Amino acid sequence: SLKMASDSPESLMTLCTDYCLRNLEGTLCYLLDNETLRLHPDIFLPSEICDKLVNEYVELVKTDSIFEPHESFFTLFSDPRSTRLARIHLREHIVQDQDLEAIRKQDLIELYLTNCEKLTAKSLQTLVSFSHTLISLSLFGCCNIFYEEENPGGCEDDCLVNPTRQVLVKDFTFEGFSRLRILNLGRLIEGVNVETLLRPLASLAALDLSGIQLNDVGFLTQWKDSLVSLVLYNMDLSEEHIQVIAQLRKLRHLDISRDHLSSYYKFKLTRRVLNLFVENLVNLTSLDISGHTMLENCTIPSMEEKMGQTSTEPAKSSIAPFRGLKRPLQFLGLFETSLCRLTHIPAYKVSGDKNEEQVLNAIEAYTEHRPEITSRAINLLFDIARIERCSQLLRALQLVITALKCHKDDKNIQVTGSAALFYLTNSEYRMEQSVKLRRQVIQVVLNGMESYQEVTVQRNCCLTLCNFSIPEELEFQYRRVNELLLNILNQSRQDESIQRIAVHLCNALVCQVDNDHKEAVGKMGFVMTMLKLIQKKLADKTCDQVMEFSWSALWNITDETPDNCEMFLNYSGMKLFLECLKEFPEKQELHRNMLGLLGNVAEVKELRPQLMTSQFISVFSNLLESKADGIEVSYNACGVLSHIMFDGPEAWGICEPHREEVVKRMWAAIQSWDINSRRNINYRSFEPILRLLPQGISPVSQHWATWALYNLVSVYPDKYCPLLIKEGGIPLLKDMIKMASARQETKEMARKVIEHCSNFKEENMDTSR
């Protein structure tokens, strides 16, 4: 499959920009009076760099929850002698009146303001300062920019009685904006007179009036010699509108599409209207009529519709009026119309719902300004990904990622987008995805989990994370992903399925990671969260996957991590262990997980005294006879006791059971195990086992350690022979063989371990020169 541009590595420019923005103080700026950011006096940056800094900053604030916005960021660009801005794109609540005010001396050429709801009429005045240079302006969705605050009393005290009122500014026009060619006023609020506002503009080339209702658009004809692009999305059209549009003979792009769900439209598109466009708008290369109802038959009867190769030739068009086109359209928007399902459509790119290509074109075309349409298009993609195989996987993934980033707070897009991601990242597509792309998916999934406490989004996001190799692929966001999962698990009301997936993920995240990761996660409250889940399940008398995963997660997080072992004891972990044994005597997996965890606790010398009670020692001794999960439960119980025995007779602070009696039971248990047992255990280090070899105080512990090594190097030589050699086990075994106190059978076994390792070494010697 073709690699897409954004799948290649980041440019040096992008990496530097990102680094500077995340470390402003350490790079471009210093802090004045400990609060205001100031640019270093010797810095001079051209617009190519400044534009990127501003645009990336907006992107980071919007999509990266860890990134902290700076109150005084825009003031860095207040002086055109040191910083130049030319083309900037600002979005949503990130930008306020004072931010635009800060850059008013800049000679902006292009200013896109999208859904900046915090901007008021103060910013209209700031726009005037850019009037002599602006070529392109968007005020899309800036719904308060024509409102100013009026204080009716005019005095301070009066404000409490008469709070400020929002008053519509009616006298603003684009007077003086002599170079303005491209203007987007989408979703402009009612009450602003569009005609008066626009009249001063001499030669508009592109105008977007999406979502504005105008009964009279006659004024558009003043630009009939200059207007090449007109967007009237969701405007309720009439015959008068059509007649005006037909006069705009220079139009190359016309969009009269609508959201067919948004309200009732009287207007129906007819064959005559489309004919009128084709005849009059001879330069048309792009037309969008999505969402329209076709009144009379615009299509060629299916008898005449020649099958065979689908063709984009206008002469063969299945849509009759388009047979009059001189050449195929570059783009034709037919989303949610009956026409997109026809065979011959004279356009190179069609948005519709017929197939994957049309659906992807729709997501691409409508994401930025039409989330209501985009979420329905993503829903169609979701069905395609779920039922068939996606043929344009990378494009599909990138479009969904963009939509999720762009509409972080739109519930519909978050629900459909996160569901689509689940199917687009599953294993059959794995080979086609780069590390960079997969990281982008993880970022938007975590953003979704952060912004939405909604069950469906949370479940979709958790399920999508399960498609990744854990912990490796999530390691770059390790803290954040753990915090989010613990947050889900700590909610008082919980959805069973999400709880199960979240515990599974938590368990996978603490398996096979470094100890500092485990300690950090422990400090976040991981141990406490798992114990709370166990307690809840105990109260319900349920031993399900959540219960088993929780114990397994505790086993993993305490591995060679004394702090977490201590937390387990401090939060009454032993009490829960005994209660679970009593409540679920038959649950073998559970017993294995619990004893694996206690093995970790027993490895910590300072904590062993807390295990030294008659009750615990009796329980461990009785579990020596357990046949649960092969030898695992018996093996782990014996491991716990081996560490306790290692502290010597003087540490045995109980009368019952006797130390000798327990030792006898341990010997019997070890002798009953099959040396070739395949194991349900994973050692990252032999250090805790090797510790038991050079000592004479507890020969049975020495024997347990030797048996463990013999079993692992016999059954899994490739993994454990190198580990044992690397960790210096061979000299320890040789010394033990010379010890008088060691039992004969232990020495025999030690010799076999050494022999195994030397054979392994010889077999794997590199003989090539």
Side-chain angles (χ1 to χ4, degrees):
S1 63
L2 284 171
K3 280 271 178 276
M4 293 180 78
S6 61
D7 212 31
S8 53
E10 297 290 10
S11 68
L12 189 55
M13 173 79 162
T14 303
L15 293 170
C16 291
T17 309
D18 187 71
Y19 183 80
C20 288
L21 288 170
R22 291 178 191 277
N23 304 280
L24 279 171
E25 276 176 67
T27 53
L28 306 171
C29 305
Y30 65 95
L31 264 190
L32 182 69
D33 309 331
N34 266 344
E35 52 177 1
T36 316
L37 275 177
R38 282 275 186 273
L39 214 55
H40 284 299
D42 54 353
I43 281 181
F44 302 94
L45 301 172
S47 61
E48 291 82 352
I49 291 177
C50 294
D51 290 349
K52 197 151 173 65
L53 282 168
V54 169
N55 296 334
E56 284 298 313
Y57 170 81
V58 171
E59 193 62 17
L60 279 175
V61 175
K62 193 167 154 26
T63 59
D64 189 335
S65 61
I66 301 160
F67 184 77
E68 283 294 320
H70 296 276
E71 194 101 317
S72 51
F73 177 76
F74 286 89
T75 58
L76 301 177
F77 305 92
S78 57
D79 186 352
R81 288 171 303 185
S82 55
T83 52
R84 290 279 169 89
L85 289 174
R87 296 179 169 81
I88 57 173
H89 297 218
L90 310 179
R91 309 181 143 270
E92 293 170 24
H93 60 275
I94 298 162
V95 54
Q96 305 188 27
D97 291 327
Q98 62 266 28
D99 299 325
L100 271 191
E101 174 71 11
I103 57 170
R104 71 183 183 284
K105 291 182 182 160
Q106 293 286 356
D107 291 339
L108 292 183
I109 294 170
E110 194 177 280
L111 174 61
Y112 287 145
L113 302 170
T114 308
N115 296 325
C116 299
E117 296 181 358
K118 288 195 172 177
L119 297 182
T120 71
K122 287 193 186 115
S123 287
L124 279 184
Q125 294 319 308
T126 309
L127 285 183
V128 176
S129 53
F130 309 127
S131 61
H132 58 294
T133 53
L134 265 187
I135 292 174
S136 184
L137 172 67
S138 169
L139 300 178
F140 182 88
C142 299
C143 52
N144 295 310
I145 201 163
F146 279 88
Y147 279 114
E148 63 185 346
E149 289 186 351
E150 184 190 70
N151 180 3
C155 71
E156 294 302 312
D157 305 325
D158 214 21
C159 297
L160 299 172
V161 192
N162 292 319
T164 49
R165 289 187 308 156
Q166 297 288 324
V167 181
L168 193 60
V169 172
K170 297 200 169 171
D171 57 355
F172 177 83
T173 72
F174 285 111
E175 188 66 58
F177 284 72
S178 55
R179 302 182 63 191
L180 198 60
R181 297 285 178 275
I182 299 167
L183 180 60
N184 185 339
L185 295 175
R187 305 222 327 256
L188 185 73
I189 45 111
E190 277 182 41
V192 176
N193 186 325
V194 179
E195 184 176 349
T196 315
L197 186 66
L198 300 182
R199 193 177 292 124
L201 297 174
S203 44
L204 265 184
L207 180 61
D208 188 327
L209 299 173
S210 295
I212 303 173
Q213 295 312 325
L214 295 176
N215 295 328
D216 179 10
V217 289
F219 65 90
L220 293 176
T221 55
Q222 65 182 303
W223 301 295
K224 64 176 188 293
D225 295 327
S226 62
L227 207 60
V228 292
S229 169
L230 178 64
V231 178
L232 304 177
Y233 169 70
N234 266 355
M235 188 180 286
D236 200 5
L237 303 172
S238 66
E239 185 55 35
E240 287 75 29
H241 289 81
I242 300 302
Q243 292 307 325
V244 170
I245 292 168
Q247 293 176 53
L248 306 173
R249 292 175 173 273
K250 290 276 169 41
L251 278 186
R252 291 207 291 269
H253 171 63
L254 172 63
D255 182 343
I256 53 167
S257 63
R258 63 190 194 192
D259 174 1
H260 75 105
L261 296 182
S262 68
S263 63
Y264 175 70
Y265 291 102
K266 295 180 284 299
F267 181 79
K268 307 276 194 291
L269 258 188
T270 61
R271 190 169 184 157
R272 183 186 61 80
V273 171
L274 291 182
N275 274 329
L276 193 68
F277 288 164
V278 171
E279 282 162 30
N280 290 282
L281 310 178
V282 291
N283 298 312
L284 213 57
T285 59
S286 165
L287 174 67
D288 202 331
I289 52 175
S290 296
H292 274 281
T293 316
M294 301 302 176
L295 188 61
E296 52 188 70
N297 206 346
C298 293
T299 59
I300 301 292
S302 52
M303 301 290 291
E304 284 178 46
E305 198 187 30
K306 296 203 173 45
M307 291 308 283
Q309 274 313 102
T310 54
S311 168
T312 55
E313 274 178 56
K316 292 184 181 169
S317 172
S318 305
I319 306 166
F322 293 150
R323 290 198 161 180
L325 288 168
K326 302 281 178 290
R327 66 197 78 77
L329 294 168
Q330 294 296 321
F331 176 83
L332 179 58
L334 300 176
F335 190 69
E336 295 179 322
T337 66
S338 52
L339 300 180
C340 69
R341 300 183 170 267
L342 297 171
T343 311
H344 305 301
I345 300 175
Y348 298 118
K349 210 172 199 179
V350 178
S351 74
D353 47 34
K354 177 183 174 183
N355 54 29
E356 183 185 350
E357 172 67 21
Q358 288 188 0
V359 168
L360 293 178
N361 290 340
I363 299 172
E364 190 168 39
Y366 309 129
T367 288
E368 172 102 53
H369 292 131
R370 300 177 195 176
E372 62 283 0
I373 307 279
T374 308
S375 70
R376 303 206 291 271
I378 293 175
N379 211 15
L380 293 166
L381 175 66
F382 162 75
D383 282 334
I384 293 167
R386 188 170 54 99
I387 298 160
E388 336 165 9
R389 190 183 159 86
C390 268
S391 54
Q392 302 183 47
L393 174 77
L394 293 182
R395 185 178 171 214
L397 252 182
Q398 269 147 353
L399 289 171
V400 174
I401 289 170
T402 304
L404 284 165
K405 274 182 164 179
C406 190
H407 299 287
K408 203 172 158 191
D409 304 320
D410 185 302
K411 184 181 158 190
N412 291 333
I413 284 195
Q414 291 300 320
V415 170
T416 54
S418 57
L421 279 185
F422 170 68
Y423 285 101
L424 292 169
T425 51
N426 69 19
S427 50
E428 63 167 316
Y429 296 128
R430 185 62 190 278
M431 296 314 292
E432 301 173 45
Q433 295 164 13
S434 66
V435 172
K436 178 180 161 189
L437 193 60
R438 287 178 74 81
R439 285 192 166 192
Q440 285 178 336
V441 173
I442 291 165
Q443 294 276 26
V444 292
V445 164
L446 299 183
N447 287 343
M449 286 168 75
E450 229 149 27
S451 313
Y452 272 90
Q453 298 312 310
E454 206 273 333
V455 174
T456 324
V457 176
Q458 296 272 354
R459 187 187 298 115
N460 292 348
C461 290
C462 285
L463 280 169
T464 302
L465 291 178
C466 295
N467 287 336
F468 290 82
S469 305
I470 304 171
E472 302 80 23
E473 288 192 282
L474 296 183
E475 198 133 14
F476 79 109
Q477 291 279 298
Y478 197 76
R479 274 196 74 91
R480 187 174 170 215
V481 73
N482 274 294
E483 271 167 4
L484 285 166
L485 291 168
L486 292 180
N487 189 27
I488 288 174
L489 291 172
N490 283 323
Q491 287 160 12
S492 47
R493 293 191 56 232
Q494 275 179 353
D495 176 273
E496 271 291 315
S497 61
I498 298 183
Q499 192 184 56
R500 192 171 59 250
I501 308 160
V503 176
H504 161 73
L505 285 166
C506 278
N507 187 21
L509 277 160
V510 290
C511 192
Q512 305 293 308
V513 288
D514 296 342
N515 293 16
D516 52 350
H517 274 337
K518 291 182 186 177
E519 277 172 23
V521 177
K523 289 192 178 78
M524 283 179 205
F526 190 100
V527 177
M528 177 110 99
T529 302
M530 294 303 147
L531 289 170
K532 268 194 208 147
L533 288 174
I534 291 166
Q535 201 158 15
K536 259 197 197 139
K537 291 292 170 190
L538 249 175
D540 299 341
K541 298 192 176 341
T542 336
C543 181
D544 55 6
Q545 280 184 313
V546 172
M547 173 72 106
E548 284 178 14
F549 284 155
S550 300
W551 278 109
S552 177
L554 287 170
W555 180 6
N556 281 319
I557 201 172
T558 51
D559 177 38
E560 294 188 50
T561 316
D563 289 4
N564 292 340
C565 293
E566 188 172 7
M567 255 186 255
F568 170 79
L569 294 178
N570 291 347
Y571 297 139
S572 327
M574 290 305 286
K575 180 170 168 285
L576 286 178
F577 159 67
L578 294 174
E579 286 172 6
C580 285
L581 265 184
K582 192 170 160 212
E583 185 63 50
F584 309 112
E586 304 304 315
K587 293 286 184 181
Q588 303 198 356
E589 288 263 319
L590 184 71
H591 294 187
R592 180 194 83 208
N593 293 347
M594 296 196 301
L595 276 151
L597 152 73
L598 292 181
N600 291 338
V601 176
E603 286 171 12
V604 185
K605 187 175 173 55
E606 299 72 39
L607 301 179
R608 285 202 283 270
Q610 294 190 52
L611 303 179
M612 200 63 238
T613 70
S614 292
Q615 188 184 22
F616 293 152
I617 299 294
S618 302
V619 167
F620 298 142
S621 305
N622 292 335
L623 286 167
L624 287 169
E625 270 98 67
S626 165
K627 293 284 170 277
D629 202 15
I631 66 164
E632 296 305 323
V633 172
S634 175
Y635 170 88
N636 279 320
C638 199
V640 171
L641 290 166
S642 294
H643 287 290
I644 291 170
M645 292 293 171
F646 177 62
D647 291 336
E650 64 278 4
W652 198 267
I654 52 171
C655 308
E656 281 295 318
H658 288 305
R659 189 171 185 270
E660 288 66 42
E661 184 194 326
V662 176
V663 167
K664 222 155 83 190
R665 289 177 78 174
M666 286 166 73
W667 278 109
I670 300 170
Q671 275 148 352
S672 74
W673 302 336
D674 173 6
I675 196 66
N676 296 314
S677 301
R678 299 196 70 76
R679 303 305 304 285
N680 243 325
I681 199 158
N682 191 355
Y683 283 101
R684 290 188 310 138
S685 164
F686 280 146
E687 198 278 324
I689 294 179
L690 297 177
R691 214 185 289 164
L692 301 175
L693 293 178
Q695 48 98 13
I697 206 152
S698 170
V700 72
S701 304
Q702 213 172 30
H703 192 66
W704 174 82
T706 312
W707 189 95
L709 295 173
Y710 184 35
N711 164 257
L712 292 166
V713 298
S714 324
V715 182
Y716 307 102
D718 294 357
K719 180 171 182 185
Y720 290 120
C721 286
L723 185 65
L724 186 61
I725 294 164
K726 182 176 135 224
E727 295 196 337
I730 306 298
L732 285 173
L733 289 163
K734 284 180 174 165
D735 289 348
M736 188 258 283
I737 292 169
K738 295 175 194 153
M739 284 174 68
S741 59
R743 287 270 283 264
Q744 203 48 46
E745 55 197 297
T746 310
K747 295 179 180 183
E748 283 302 314
M749 208 174 263
R751 285 194 190 93
K752 286 181 185 159
V753 176
I754 296 167
E755 193 182 325
H756 238 76
C757 286
S758 59
N759 289 348
F760 174 83
K761 225 171 153 181
E762 278 165 30
E763 278 168 32
N764 290 276
M765 281 279 279
D766 188 359
T767 50
S768 58
R769 281 285 169 265

